[in-house]
């Protein structure tokens, strides 16, 4: 097994959805470069990500993105110790582009390839700025495809405490934004317009608030649709602010409950919805009251990027060694499945 230490340099590649990203990270946390080419514009007019367009755009962007990540890092290809890529979960065609690129580079450089679980990488995004965490850590992973409350017992060791039983938090933001004609992706649009609205204007439901650790957002989305249909003259900013507050109330309440349940020392946020202004403020307030240390990823590390892939790759390489070059894409990978 390859020796992994603070000087080990990993090139990370991410292509699970609509961002082509490459990054060079040393020692698991020292980000030497991070380049993200987003396809948001190419998908915007369809109101969501189109898998075929995503795969083609990854193929086009891959070489320039990797080249830029290498030149920004100031590191020569020969200095790379391992190449990591997201193997899942995600869109299969999109994943295959990154996996094939990473395996090719690894083969040419004669260095190990590491398959990374995208969800595990989101957990590591928060640690890039603040690696000295105390376990157990509750990670609130809130993205377009997932809403998970994860007990991170130590590096690579997770149990899921709670999760959504239907829509992910980001999916709810996106669906409500589409209904309100605010464009795609919906989270940033709702976050922006909500600042001008009255969060107490409409009392939307907080589903399952006192019920276990799971959450549900599909009823909330339906109640927004029903309310707006019944009250067509309502201000969009008020709907956005009231909806956002309902989502954040539930996430903060469940995170607090889960943190108490596992005896957490630290709470971390991860995933695209971790960029939400209200969620960051409310979680900070809840943690200050309860005395938990809160680790917030920088805004750039909330959404998909390759620095978190290289970082998770470094930890995986250290604990499990490399992944076989025969490994493929795993579109349905779960957090608790190992990618290598
Ligand atoms: O983690 P991510 O980039 O992609 C995956 O799903 O893997 O997350 C994207 C999601 C989208 O649903 C987007 O609407 C949401 O994160 N998002 C936000 C904000 N920024 C991005 N949701 C709420 N507030 C935001 N500021």
């Amino acid at each position: 097994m390859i020796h992994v230490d603070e000087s080990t340099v990993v090139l990370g590649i991410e292509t699970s959805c609509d961002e082509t990203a490459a990054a060079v990270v040393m020692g698991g946390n020292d980000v030497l470069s991070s380049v993200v080419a987003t396809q948001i514009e190419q998908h915007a007019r369809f109101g969501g990500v189109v898998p075929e367009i995503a795969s083609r755009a990854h193929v086009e962007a891959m070489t320039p993105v990797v080249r830029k990540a290498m030149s920004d890092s100031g590191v020569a290809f020969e200095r790379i110790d391992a190449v990591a890529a997201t193997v899942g979960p995600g869109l299969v065609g999109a994943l295959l582009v990154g996996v094939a690129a990473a395996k090719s580079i690894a083969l040419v450089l004669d260095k190990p390839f590491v398959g990374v679980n995208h969800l595990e990488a989101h957990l590591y995004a928060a640690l890039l700025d603040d690696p000295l965490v105390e376990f157990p850590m509750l990670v609130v992973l809130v993205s377009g495809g997932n809403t998970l409350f994860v007990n991170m017992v130590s590096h690579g060791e997770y149990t899921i405490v709670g999760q959504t039983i239907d829509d992910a938090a980001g999916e709810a933001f996106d669906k409500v934004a589409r209904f309100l004609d605010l464009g795609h992706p919906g989270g940033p649009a709702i976050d922006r317009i909500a600042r001008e609205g009255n969060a107490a204007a409409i009392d939307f439901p907080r589903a399952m608030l006192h019920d276990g650790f799971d959450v549900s957002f599909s009823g909330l989305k339906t109640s927004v649709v029903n309310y707006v249909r019944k009250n067509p003259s309502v201000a969009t900013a008020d709907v956005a602010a009231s909806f956002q507050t309902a989502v954040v109330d539930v996430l903060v309440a469940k995170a607090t409950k889960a943190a108490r349940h596992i005896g957490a020392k630290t709470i971390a946020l991860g995933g695209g919805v971790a960029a939400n202004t209200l969620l960051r403020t409310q979680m900070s307030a809840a943690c200050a009251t309860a005395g938990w240390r809160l680790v917030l990823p920088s805004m750039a590390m909330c959404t998909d990027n390759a620095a978190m892939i290289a970082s998770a790759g470094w930890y995986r390489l250290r604990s499990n060694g490399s992944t076989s070059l025969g490994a493929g894409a795993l579109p349905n990978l779960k957090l608790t499945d190992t990618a290598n």
Side-chain angles (χ1 to χ4, degrees):
M1 207 155 102
I2 173 186
H3 173 74
V4 178
D5 64 21
E6 294 308 306
S7 68
T8 305
V9 178
V10 178
L11 167 66
I13 293 178
E14 154 63 31
T15 59
S16 65
C17 190
D18 58 347
E19 258 102 32
T20 314
V24 179
V25 175
M26 184 160 70
N29 305 101
D30 186 4
V31 182
L32 305 180
S33 68
S34 178
V35 177
V36 181
T38 182
Q39 309 168 2
I40 284 179
E41 295 273 298
Q42 294 174 65
H43 300 285
R45 67 194 171 100
F46 300 102
V49 177
V50 183
E52 173 66 15
I53 294 176
S55 311
R56 285 170 187 267
H58 286 309
V59 172
E60 277 170 27
M62 184 54 65
T63 304
V65 165
V66 170
R67 208 171 262 152
K68 182 154 178 18
M70 289 306 301
S71 72
D72 286 0
S73 72
V75 157
F77 263 111
E78 302 74 60
R79 180 65 185 79
I80 298 293
D81 296 305
V83 187
T86 305
V87 293
L91 302 168
V92 68
L95 289 166
L96 281 169
V97 178
V99 170
K103 288 202 280 194
S104 313
I105 297 170
L107 203 56
V108 169
L109 298 177
D110 195 21
K111 297 291 176 182
F113 163 69
V114 197
V116 170
N117 184 326
H118 183 85
L119 299 173
E120 179 174 60
H122 270 304
L123 307 190
Y124 278 94
L127 305 189
L128 279 169
D129 290 322
D130 201 347
L132 301 170
V133 294
E134 272 193 280
F135 297 114
M137 173 166 80
L138 181 84
V139 189
V140 182
L141 177 51
V142 272
S143 70
N146 286 276
T147 297
L148 297 172
F149 299 96
V150 182
N151 178 6
M152 188 164 174
V153 183
S154 67
H155 288 292
E157 214 186 314
Y158 319 109
T159 50
I160 293 173
V161 186
Q163 58 192 308
T164 181
I165 60 163
D166 41 53
D167 291 352
E171 191 180 354
F173 271 96
D174 293 339
K175 285 178 173 169
V176 167
R178 195 175 315 153
F179 172 70
L180 297 174
D181 273 333
L182 295 174
H184 180 85
I190 289 187
D191 195 342
R192 231 173 0 254
I193 194 171
R195 283 173 214 153
E196 290 141 36
N198 173 7
I202 309 148
D203 187 21
F204 287 128
R206 275 83 167 144
M208 303 172 69
L209 196 58
H210 305 291
D211 222 5
F213 299 103
D214 287 341
V215 293
S216 160
F217 293 116
S218 86
L220 172 59
K221 174 199 66 199
T222 309
S223 92
V224 171
V225 172
N226 290 343
Y227 185 89
V228 175
R229 287 203 173 127
K230 264 190 220 136
N231 303 275
S233 58
V234 65
T236 302
D238 287 350
V239 178
S242 303
F243 159 77
Q244 177 176 264
T245 302
V247 173
V248 170
D249 278 356
V250 171
L251 291 176
V252 173
K254 294 285 168 149
T256 311
K257 190 171 173 188
R260 268 199 202 103
H261 177 71
I262 66 163
K265 297 223 166 73
T266 316
I267 298 189
L269 294 186
V273 184
N276 185 266
T277 321
L278 185 68
L279 179 61
R280 292 170 85 95
T281 317
Q282 301 286 61
M283 277 306 303
S284 302
C287 288
T289 309
W292 293 306
R293 203 167 141 242
L294 177 66
V295 185
L296 287 175
S298 65
M299 296 303 251
M301 290 301 139
C302 290
T303 43
D304 290 348
N305 65 84
M308 66 182 194
I309 304 302
S311 174
W314 184 91
Y315 283 98
R316 273 287 154 194
L317 194 62
R318 195 175 65 165
S319 60
N320 297 41
S322 62
T323 307
S324 150
L325 285 179
L330 302 164
N332 300 318
L333 198 66
K334 304 270 180 290
L335 176 66
T336 42
D337 296 339
T338 38
N340 63 344

